[in-house]
């Protein structure tokens, strides 16, 4: 029996399919896990609240005031997800994504459906991250608009090369831009809160045939749920963490949840304080940053950082 346990334990040891990943020291800590596996989730603050505002705007500018209540509901849902994935990590220390959970509780066919949908999700994660990054870049440098597709393809090639190098090494490279992104988002939030509030926009009526009431709120909530993307990546990547891998993965999941919730609520509060409404050619974050810091070098630097991390969000799929 002892021998069988040893063989089973040996089979369950995760193999790091990377040139430089032969020791525990080459795996991820909490900071490295945030850098390598959380860009998708963290960067969703750049388009999640914007999706809510865009959905509400069809019912007129007055409806945008519901952004904060919807984000509060999303924050509660995100908290539930974080707690659930912490439990999944404990139950599936070899990687507890949708496939592992579905196979253990619902059987193989359901697990295969979950796995197939995750493959599609990861491909879309790459597309959304690069597309949103292109929009952020165009907000700062409109002249680059004709070349955004080329920039997205170059970014995709760079991410591929980075992950061929190795996940631990890529985490080290990603720590700086992820750290700068977190600082940039909090700078935009704080700047938006302390800046002189923008004049209230001229009230606009609802678009002809636009939804209203509960249907409108449900649509906005559904659109805002894109801000929850990527939360499962840490549970999928538990074997990539240093021992004790499950505990480190749980700590990383909790840290991700706290940072993401604060960011989402902060942006929603600024939207209410600054009376932000959708503008052509500027993302929601770009509008807040421009109102707080103007359109000078600092604004462009912030947008470049946001663009970089939106591109790196695709790295979660590789991880």
């Amino acid at each position: 029996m002892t021998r069988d346990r040893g063989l089973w334990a040996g089979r369950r040891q995760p193999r790091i399919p990377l040139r430089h990943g032969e020791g525990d020291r080459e795996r991820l800590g909490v900071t490295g896990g945030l850098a390598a596996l959380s860009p998708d989730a963290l960067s969703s603050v750049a388009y999640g609240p914007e999706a809510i505002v865009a959905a509400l705007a069809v019912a007129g500018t007055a409806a945008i005031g519901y952004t904060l209540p919807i984000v509060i509901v999303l924050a509660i849902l995100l908290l539930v997800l974080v707690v659930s994935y912490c439990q999944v990590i404990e139950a599936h220390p070899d990687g507890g994504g949708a496939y592992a959970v579905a196979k253990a509780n619902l059987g193989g066919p359901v697990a295969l459906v979950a796995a197939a949908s995750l493959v599609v999700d990861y491909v879309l994660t790459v597309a959304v991250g690069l597309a949103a990054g292109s929009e952020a870049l165009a907000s700062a440098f409109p002249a680059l608009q004709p070349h955004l597709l080329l920039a997205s393809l170059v970014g995709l090639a760079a991410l591929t090369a980075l992950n061929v190098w190795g996940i631990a090494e890529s985490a080290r490279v990603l720590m700086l831009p992820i750290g700068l992104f977190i600082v940039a988002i909090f700078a935009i939030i704080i700047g938006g809160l302390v800046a002189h509030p923008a004049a209230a926009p001229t009230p606009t009526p609802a678009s002809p045939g636009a939804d209203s009431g509960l249907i409108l709120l449900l649509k906005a909530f559904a659109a805002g749920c894109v801000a929850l993307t990527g939360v499962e990546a840490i549970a999928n990547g538990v074997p990539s963490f240093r021992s004790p891998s499950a505990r480190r993965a749980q700590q990383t999941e909790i840290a991700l949840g706290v940072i993401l919730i604060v960011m989402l609520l902060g942006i929603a509060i600024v939207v209410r304080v600054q009376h932000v409404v959708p503008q052509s050619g500027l993302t929601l974050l770009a509008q807040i940053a421009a109102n707080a810091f103007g359109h000078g070098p600092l604004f462009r630097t912030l947008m470049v950082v946001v663009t970089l991390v939106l591109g790196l969000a695709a790295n979660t799929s590789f991880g």
Side-chain angles (χ1 to χ4, degrees):
M1 183 67 177
T2 302
R3 180 175 177 272
D4 290 341
R5 286 179 178 173
L7 290 173
W8 175 245
R11 285 196 297 269
R12 292 182 65 182
Q13 289 299 317
R15 180 177 67 84
I16 306 297
L18 309 164
R19 288 193 301 168
H20 306 295
E22 296 181 354
D24 192 63
R25 64 184 179 83
E26 296 296 334
R27 298 180 190 170
L28 301 173
V30 174
T31 304
L34 280 172
L37 300 174
S38 300
D40 179 25
L42 291 176
S43 66
S44 65
V45 301
Y47 51 83
E50 183 169 8
I52 296 174
V53 172
L56 293 172
V58 299
T61 52
I64 297 177
Y66 291 104
T67 299
L68 182 56
I70 291 174
V71 170
I72 291 174
V73 175
L74 283 175
I76 295 173
L77 179 57
L78 177 58
L79 181 61
V80 173
L81 285 174
V82 168
V83 173
S84 298
Y85 277 118
C86 284
Q87 295 173 335
V88 168
I89 290 169
E90 183 176 359
H92 299 274
D94 291 334
Y99 175 80
V101 176
K103 185 175 182 180
N105 297 279
L106 300 173
V110 176
L112 290 176
V113 173
S117 60
L118 280 173
V119 172
V120 176
D121 174 65
Y122 288 146
V123 174
L124 291 176
T125 294
V126 178
V128 170
L130 295 175
S134 298
E135 289 188 11
L137 191 65
S139 297
F141 305 99
L144 296 178
Q145 184 69 40
H147 309 291
L148 294 183
L149 177 58
L150 177 60
S152 298
L153 294 175
V154 171
L156 180 59
L159 284 177
T160 304
L162 191 64
N163 281 270
V164 169
W165 184 19
I167 187 171
E169 287 80 0
S170 67
R172 295 189 186 100
V173 173
L174 294 172
M175 283 182 189
L176 178 59
I178 292 300
L180 290 175
F181 176 79
I182 294 174
V183 171
I185 295 300
F186 279 111
I188 291 173
I189 292 172
I190 295 172
L193 291 175
V194 301
H196 183 70
T202 303
T204 59
S207 302
D211 293 312
S212 61
L214 180 60
I215 297 298
L216 174 69
L217 296 179
L218 290 176
K219 280 191 171 183
F221 172 79
C225 281
V226 297
L228 307 181
T229 182
V231 179
E232 80 289 343
I234 295 171
N236 290 339
V238 177
S240 299
F241 285 86
R242 287 197 293 268
S243 299
S245 58
R247 179 175 296 180
R248 290 186 188 276
Q250 288 174 327
Q251 293 170 346
T252 306
E253 189 77 59
I254 292 171
L256 167 63
V258 171
I259 295 172
L260 188 53
I261 286 173
V262 173
M263 285 181 172
L264 289 172
L265 290 175
I267 292 173
I269 292 172
V270 174
V271 168
R272 169 167 288 194
V273 170
Q274 293 291 341
H275 311 292
V276 179
V277 296
Q279 290 185 25
S280 177
L282 285 176
T283 65
L284 185 73
L285 281 181
Q287 291 180 57
I288 297 172
N291 185 62
F293 307 112
H295 290 270
L298 180 56
F299 166 75
R300 292 189 179 90
T301 300
L302 292 172
M303 289 301 99
V304 168
V305 171
V306 171
T307 299
L308 176 62
V309 174
L310 280 166
L312 294 178
N315 189 73
T316 303
S317 295
F318 286 90

